[in-house]
């Protein structure tokens, strides 16, 4: 039961908030948080809505009872999640020309153009490709 609760909490973490080496994938972030802080989340954060901001606040409030591993890892994990989210927002700006001209899409619906950006190497700028990589789309 406890293990199932940890899994649900950690899966939900990545949902609301989805570089190469600059950002950590949501799966890696959640895996690291589960390994480092799973017991602390179950013991100290019951009833907390498991979005990343509230869970981060809960762990921060309970900093004095966190294991040394959890205390050293959790801020970095949440920072990595925020970097990945920011990278995904950047794709719309970095790939504006490619979304419209190469993929025939709209910058208002960038996510619909992601498959085209990933599979069409011709006509995609290096800046756009880097943004796509940083966002974890390829």
């Amino acid at each position: 039961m406890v293990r199932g609760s940890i899994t649900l909490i950690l899966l939900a973490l990545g949902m609301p908030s989805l570089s190469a080496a600059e950002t950590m994938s949501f799966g890696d972030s959640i895996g690291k948080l589960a390994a480092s802080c799973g017991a602390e989340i179950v013991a100290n954060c019951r009833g907390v809505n498991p979005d990343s901001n509230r869970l981060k606040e809960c762990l921060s409030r309970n900093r004095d009872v966190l294991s040394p591993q959890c205390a050293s890892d959790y801020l970095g994990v949440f920072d990595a999640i925020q970097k990945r989210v920011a990278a995904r927002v950047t794709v719309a700006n970095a790939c504006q020309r490619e979304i419209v001209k190469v993929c025939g899409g709209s910058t208002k619906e960038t996510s619909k153009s992601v498959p085209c950006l990933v599979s069409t190497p011709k006509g995609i700028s290096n800046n756009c490709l880097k943004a796509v990589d940083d966002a974890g789309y390829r």
Side-chain angles (χ1 to χ4, degrees):
M1 179 70 176
V2 171
R3 183 167 286 212
S5 298
I6 292 171
T7 303
L8 287 176
I9 288 171
L10 297 177
L11 284 174
L13 238 181
M15 301 265 184
S17 307
L18 276 185
S19 90
E22 290 182 22
T23 63
M24 185 186 305
S25 74
F26 292 121
D28 291 345
S29 298
I30 291 168
K32 186 171 185 175
L33 188 64
S36 297
C37 301
E40 287 87 343
I41 291 169
V42 170
N44 300 301
C45 300
R46 285 183 196 254
V48 171
N49 187 347
D51 67 65
S52 61
N53 290 332
R54 290 188 179 138
L55 194 53
K56 180 180 177 183
E57 289 171 9
C58 176
L59 290 171
S60 293
R61 275 193 315 270
N62 293 289
R63 200 177 6 224
D64 56 330
V65 296
L66 299 180
S67 69
Q69 188 66 47
C70 178
S72 71
D73 289 348
Y74 84 95
L75 289 175
V77 168
F78 288 112
D79 184 52
I81 290 169
Q82 289 309 108
K83 283 181 181 177
R84 179 56 65 102
V85 170
R88 289 193 172 191
V89 171
T90 301
V91 170
N93 295 326
C95 301
Q96 196 169 23
R97 182 191 66 80
E98 291 86 347
I99 289 169
V100 174
K101 295 201 184 233
V102 177
C103 299
S106 166
T107 55
K108 292 180 181 177
E109 298 177 318
T110 302
S111 62
K112 290 184 177 180
S113 297
V114 169
C116 171
L117 294 172
V118 170
S119 65
T120 309
K122 194 171 190 174
I124 308 295
S125 69
N126 288 337
N127 191 33
C128 176
L129 289 174
K130 182 180 179 335
V132 169
D133 288 342
D134 288 350
Y137 290 127
R138 45 175 227 162

